[in-house]
Amino acid sequence: MQNPVTVEVTRGNLVESRHRGLGVVVDASGKTVFSFGDAEAGVFPRSSCKAMQALPLMESGAADAYGFGNKELAFSCASHSGEDVHVAMASSMLAKAGQDVSALECGAHWSSEQSALIHQAHTITAPTALHNNCSGKHSGFVCACVHSGTQLKGYVGYEHPLQQEIRGIMESLTGAVLAEDNCGTDGCSIPTYAVPLKGLAHGFAKMLTGQGLEPVRAKASRRLIEACMAEPFYVAGTNRACTKLMQVAPGKIFAKTGAEGVFVAALPEQGLAMAVKCEDGTTRAAEAMIFALIARYFEKGSETQETLMGMANRTMKNWNGLRVGDIRVTDAMFA
Amino acid sequence: MQNPVTVEVTRGNLVESRHRGLGVVVDASGKTVFSFGDAEAGVFPRSSCKAMQALPLMESGAADAYGFGNKELAFSCASHSGEDVHVAMASSMLAKAGQDVSALECGAHWSSEQSALIHQAHTITAPTALHNNCSGKHSGFVCACVHSGTQLKGYVGYEHPLQQEIRGIMESLTGAVLAEDNCGTDGCSIPTYAVPLKGLAHGFAKMLTGQGLEPVRAKASRRLIEACMAEPFYVAGTNRACTKLMQVAPGKIFAKTGAEGVFVAALPEQGLAMAVKCEDGTTRAAEAMIFALIARYFEKGSETQETLMGMANRTMKNWNGLRVGDIRVTDAMFA
């Protein structure tokens, strides 16, 4: 199946670049409400499924034992920009479990956000694992392991009990069989599994509604999603898409991006979840697609819908502030 | 015409993202030696055609009058990273014409290269137009205007004599008719014109060989291309693709990237020029395509060919240095 051109980047009166994509909206029963492109194609969710990966932290009782509130829970699901509050939060979570940066196995990198990187350059000589965009998820992993008495070293490994538990959770939520043949290694060294895009969306619809889940998992899922919506800065950071999206209509939109052009969202009022993937892995296109797809489920003409469409179809300016073109979603996305 | 998938990005055993592209290789007569995808499609060359835009600097006699050598000429064709030597070179060129940063109309931005940006953060409070990746081209523009007595202010405008001259040069080289309907505004505020990809490649084949050009233009073209090959650091910077590519086989490869996935190259020994465009505008794919396309014209098994293919098909590692996947060109590119 050929994925349609869903996003165009224009310059002057011409289209300069084109992005193809796939996307799907499902309800909690798994019914496809809307789709475009090959919604059954296998995609690596990458960081878009961090809320699923945070479930052991909740279900083990670790989050409650360490007194984690919305900020910590949101941060456990984050791909953050390594801003000061993020780094401090990672340290704080680790300290609750009697650990420090040395327990993290995610590796270190400078922020990929320009303003955050400039601040880092002014204040540190080199980034640590606390600055890694995944340090929240990994701090949650460390807390889950310490609380349950699981060996900490090697917690990123395919055979480690924590990753086995996450694999089981993701199989149950997405309906996909996960094994080494659809497993890759993520940027932060944990396993990432290719799942059908529709399965990914369905997993979030289950987490959103609790439908078909054990009570413990339903409660844990709901708490994580609500924490992200309540503290969107801890999920990403200044000027980041996830943060801005969850600020558009507080409590009404859950959203999480993943590398290589993946984005998921869940809408509590509508009971729907959705996932998109840009075929070529480009973030600008994944963002435009998810903004427009979410907008479809808010009342036409409402402030929320108009704000979202203004984010989906936006003007690009150059270094002198002159308009040079637009990024816009195509009709093919909604054909 | 459907552009083929030319570059795949893998993770584990699976393809995670796919890029489509078009490309063409031509000789100086304009004969297509090889192509893939819709090689007649109009594309904005963006910065890939900076050597064409530097011709007025040469042909007006300004470059000789100001005593410019290979470094200045290479820098006039550059999309640089704003490293210290680049900033100093922009100042130096402007000073030759009795001008300074205030003459530049390109706007200011921080370096888009991480290590250069960190250095900038340590050494400056804010970037100026000297740090703009196009400051070399703009310094050349300023020198050309001052030398020829053309009004300086507004030199980026569509109707300014310099841009009219560049428009004429580009029409002559590419064979395309350039006017407002295929004109956009570039990041640095000058006009950029969509031309058939094949015309872009043909223009560089003419510049490379001088075939069909007036002697003055042939000589100017050759000097610019040779200057870039002689001083590749001034064309881009540390770890940049253009710089590395021209260092692979000194004097045997001219190459220049442009925004939104464009790359051109010219091979003096083979008398060929080529251009590629990634449909979705992604740099990683444009780089892989041009590396592999250039490699095709060097002897199989030679060090140059193997180095180029090693750049085209490369392993991606994560923050812990673990192999997570590959970027590779597909057979479709050479089918």
Side-chain angles (χ1 to χ4, degrees), chain A residues 17-302:
Chain A
S17 298
R18 293 173 175 81
H19 299 280
R20 294 171 183 273
L22 46 152
V24 61
V25 183
V26 299
D27 66 18
S29 75
K31 194 183 93 178
T32 296
V33 173
F34 179 73
S35 75
F36 55 91
D38 182 8
E40 297 286 350
V43 304
F44 286 106
R46 308 292 300 277
S47 292
S48 72
C49 69
K50 277 178 172 164
M52 295 178 178
Q53 295 165 332
L55 284 168
L57 173 71
M58 307 296 299
E59 296 179 7
S60 67
D64 285 334
Y66 298 128
F68 289 169
N70 281 341
K71 289 179 180 172
E72 287 85 355
L73 300 188
F75 195 59
S76 303
C77 305
S79 298
H80 63 78
S81 296
E83 299 176 66
D84 288 348
V85 291
H86 300 131
V87 176
M89 177 58 83
S91 285
S92 161
M93 284 176 64
L94 289 166
K96 295 272 175 66
Q99 300 292 324
D100 63 20
V101 61
S102 65
L104 295 177
E105 298 184 354
C106 50
H109 65 86
W110 292 100
S111 179
S112 55
E113 292 297 304
Q114 186 184 80
S115 60
L117 173 55
I118 291 169
H119 179 73
Q120 287 181 344
H122 287 154
T123 52
I124 60 174
T125 54
T128 70
L130 297 172
H131 300 85
N132 187 306
N133 78 90
C134 298
S135 71
K137 176 179 71 176
H138 280 252
S139 296
F141 287 168
V142 167
C143 290
C145 289
V146 170
H147 179 75
S148 59
T150 313
Q151 178 188 309
L152 198 51
K153 195 168 161 51
Y155 71 83
V156 297
Y158 183 87
E159 296 295 356
H160 186 280
L162 176 68
Q163 298 305 331
Q164 290 190 38
E165 184 181 356
I166 289 172
R167 189 153 59 243
I169 288 170
M170 291 201 58
E171 284 191 321
S172 165
L173 287 172
T174 67
V177 176
L178 306 183
E180 290 197 347
D181 63 347
N182 58 0
C183 179
T185 303
D186 214 324
C188 67
S189 295
I190 69 164
T192 177
Y193 310 92
V195 299
L197 191 71
K198 185 186 164 185
L200 179 63
H202 189 198
F204 276 99
K206 290 179 188 170
M207 287 186 72
L208 177 71
T209 61
Q211 193 170 318
L213 303 183
E214 296 289 312
V216 169
R217 178 153 301 164
K219 185 180 170 196
S221 297
R222 189 72 196 201
R223 276 188 67 195
L224 286 168
I225 285 175
E226 288 180 346
C228 291
M229 293 192 294
E231 295 289 350
F233 186 82
Y234 284 85
V235 178
T238 306
N239 283 325
R240 291 278 305 279
C242 289
T243 300
K244 288 193 291 186
L245 200 36
M246 291 194 280
Q247 288 169 337
V248 166
K252 299 184 178 181
I253 300 170
F254 163 84
K256 183 68 189 74
T257 191
E260 292 293 331
V262 178
F263 227 122
V264 302
L267 309 180
E269 287 186 355
Q270 295 82 349
L272 299 173
M274 56 193 73
V276 300
K277 157 83 180 170
C278 173
E279 185 179 276
D280 57 66
T282 302
T283 299
R284 67 180 177 190
E287 291 179 356
M289 285 192 283
I290 201 76
F291 296 160
L293 199 53
I294 296 171
R296 187 180 166 93
Y297 297 96
F298 284 90
E299 192 186 348
K300 199 167 171 67
S302 66

Side-chain angles (χ1 to χ4, degrees), chain A residues 2 11 17 185 189 260 320, chain B residues 2 11 17 185 189 260 320:
Chain A
Q2 177 82 13
R11 184 164 299 267
S17 298
T185 303
S189 295
E260 292 293 331
N320 283 323
Chain B
Q2 177 83 14
R11 184 164 298 268
S17 297
T185 303
S189 295
E260 292 293 330
N320 283 323

